[in-house]
Amino acid sequence: MSYLLSASHIKLPYQLSQEKIMEFSREIFGASFKNIERLLQAFKNGQVENRYFSNKLDWFREDHTFQEKNEVYVKQAVEFGKEAVEKCLVNTDFLKNGIHPNEIDAFFYISSTGIATPTIDARIMNELPFNSHMKRIPIWGLGCAGGASGLSRAFEYCKAFPKAKVIVLCVELCSLTFQKNDISKSNLIGTSLFSDGISCVLICGDDAKVEGKSNKDHHLHFLNSQSTLMPNSLDVMGWDLKDQGLHVIFSKDIPTIIKEWLKPKVEDFLKEEGLRLGDIKDFIAHPGGKKVIDAYHESLGFNEGMTAESMAVLREFGNMSSATILYVLERFMKRSGQTGQYGLAAALGPGFSSELVLMRWN
């Protein structure tokens, strides 16, 4: 079984309180919404307390073309992505001895908030001493499900190539998709929730040469994964691409969909392994928002303790799209579970789709 060896995230340079962002939103959108004060309650009800951004708040008061925003995305994705990779490969929370970049066999790059060809992974390869024959697997457009999907694909790669060491890097600069002239409710809700985040994990196959590298007695090992697409649900979440850039599509029905659709998918998935919901001890959930976490409780029957780490990440960082679940996963990895204990990672994204990853502490 392939397993997780290390993880990292970085804090972006500009931390803003939710109160400060709410004041900014009142300034930007106040004249466009008659019921602005009622709508601004979403900033309080979502229980996000702080968020981190790659640019100063004043930057968002100005108009920027799609080209300008994407150029910033490329520059910052390389800068911050490189930092996260370097940290992951030497993170003393998990490693006694670092892993050299030239030992990495495959690089999964996950993002949905900017566009680049050559992709960001290739650009980072020019900044760090990776092996020039390293496999590059850039994955774009999976949104909030991207982090869990990257985990699944990387685990599967290491299952096929048990000597491999693989990194998954999620870079989401959601703030660069902010549309100051979009007066849709979806845009306002997105402004209340999304933030920037960069996270990385290192995954190894069973036969990878990492003896003496780990300082942990237990690791999360991969058992199985499941990807599910809901038919005819393209309008639930995603991007609407316009001249000004990426405009958020964000249905108010997402919590209801989770309550009605997710549980049978999870139960069938666990049944394949002879498990039930009660066998899951660590629930590594992408915290799409407070209502999404509440929907997990109602649908799966998990108590607040099961989503405490996800809720903590949401409060401290907001929703960072694909990167968020790796922030949650890193916290579970630091505390380590007991041998044989099961963990389930879950995330939902455009499509409408879900990604589930079943793991066990060994």
Side-chain angles (χ1 to χ4, degrees):
M1 296 181 288
S2 49
Y3 61 96
L4 285 152
L5 184 60
S6 183
S8 71
H9 72 278
I10 65 170
K11 286 188 177 180
L12 290 157
Y14 301 104
Q15 179 185 4
L16 293 173
S17 69
Q18 186 75 329
E19 188 69 28
K20 184 72 173 178
I21 302 171
M22 187 171 71
E23 292 173 6
F24 168 80
S25 300
R26 183 183 286 112
E27 171 193 333
I28 297 295
F29 299 115
S32 302
F33 292 95
K34 293 181 180 179
N35 56 345
I36 186 64
E37 293 304 322
R38 182 176 67 82
L39 292 173
L40 287 175
Q41 288 301 309
F43 286 77
K44 298 179 180 179
N45 297 339
Q47 297 191 20
V48 176
E49 296 175 2
N50 291 289
R51 286 184 271 169
Y52 290 83
F53 297 97
S54 60
N55 293 287
K56 293 181 179 179
L57 189 60
D58 285 343
W59 189 88
F60 301 99
R61 291 188 168 91
E62 304 168 0
D63 289 319
H64 301 280
T65 66
F66 188 17
Q67 178 181 344
E68 288 172 330
K69 288 184 281 189
N70 202 68
E71 286 174 351
V72 172
Y73 167 84
V74 172
K75 178 180 181 295
Q76 294 182 339
V78 173
E79 176 187 351
F80 297 127
K82 172 191 172 186
E83 182 181 343
V85 170
E86 289 177 312
K87 184 177 179 181
C88 181
L89 296 183
V90 299
N91 193 344
T92 55
D93 287 333
F94 306 106
L95 299 171
K96 291 179 182 177
N97 299 294
I99 304 290
H100 194 276
N102 67 13
E103 297 179 53
I104 302 302
D105 299 285
F107 186 165
F108 289 77
Y109 177 75
I110 317 295
S111 187
S112 294
T113 48
I115 301 168
T117 304
T119 47
I120 301 300
D121 44 287
R123 298 166 192 260
I124 292 175
M125 283 180 69
N126 283 301
E127 301 283 335
L128 294 174
F130 287 111
N131 186 326
S132 62
H133 300 297
M134 180 176 66
K135 304 294 190 302
R136 294 168 44 223
I137 307 98
I139 300 176
W140 194 89
L142 293 177
C144 293
S149 296
L151 280 177
S152 297
R153 305 295 82 80
F155 275 133
E156 290 159 0
Y157 184 96
C158 288
K159 185 176 180 180
F161 302 98
K163 294 181 180 180
K165 305 182 191 76
V166 172
I167 56 170
V168 179
L169 174 66
C170 294
V171 174
E172 300 291 8
L173 301 177
C174 300
S175 66
L176 296 179
T177 70
F178 173 67
Q179 300 290 343
K180 66 191 292 283
N181 298 313
D182 180 355
I183 58 171
S184 68
K185 187 175 179 182
S186 287
N187 187 46
L188 187 62
I189 296 300
T191 304
S192 76
L193 185 61
F194 288 100
S195 57
D196 299 341
I198 292 91
S199 52
C200 186
V201 293
L202 171 62
I203 295 173
C204 296
D206 277 348
D207 298 331
K209 295 181 180 180
V210 291
E211 291 81 5
K213 296 287 188 180
S214 178
N215 62 19
K216 292 288 185 180
D217 295 327
H218 298 84
H219 300 91
L220 277 166
H221 288 245
F222 172 72
L223 294 178
N224 201 0
S225 67
Q226 176 181 273
S227 304
T228 307
L229 180 70
M230 175 187 286
N232 304 314
S233 60
L234 301 180
D235 59 348
V236 173
M237 66 168 67
W239 295 125
D240 191 4
L241 183 56
K242 300 181 180 180
D243 289 342
Q244 300 80 19
L246 303 169
H247 291 246
V248 67
I249 299 170
F250 203 60
S251 172
K252 68 180 188 306
D253 297 325
I254 293 171
T256 302
I257 292 172
I258 295 171
K259 293 174 188 176
E260 298 176 354
W261 180 76
L262 185 62
K263 184 176 181 179
K265 305 296 182 295
V266 174
E267 288 181 326
D268 289 346
F269 173 57
L270 294 178
K271 189 176 180 180
E272 292 180 18
E273 300 294 325
L275 301 174
R276 297 180 179 180
L277 284 167
D279 295 315
I280 301 301
K281 302 305 178 186
D282 291 329
F283 184 45
I284 305 153
H286 168 77
K290 177 61 168 60
K291 289 184 178 180
V292 170
I293 292 178
D294 289 342
Y296 283 138
H297 294 159
E298 187 170 337
S299 174
L300 302 178
F302 292 154
N303 59 38
E304 291 184 358
M306 294 280 283
T307 58
E309 297 289 8
S310 295
M311 197 66 224
V313 168
L314 182 67
R315 282 195 301 269
E316 295 171 32
F317 297 95
N319 183 341
M320 302 165 284
S321 192
S322 71
T324 322
I325 195 169
L326 300 191
Y327 280 61
V328 179
L329 179 60
E330 183 180 352
R331 295 182 178 217
F332 279 96
M333 290 171 64
K334 284 182 179 179
R335 74 185 195 193
S336 296
Q338 297 179 356
T339 299
Q341 187 170 299
Y342 290 97
L344 177 69
L348 305 162
F352 179 74
S353 61
S354 70
E355 189 75 28
L356 303 174
V357 187
L358 181 64
M359 295 171 279
R360 184 173 62 206
W361 290 100
N362 287 327

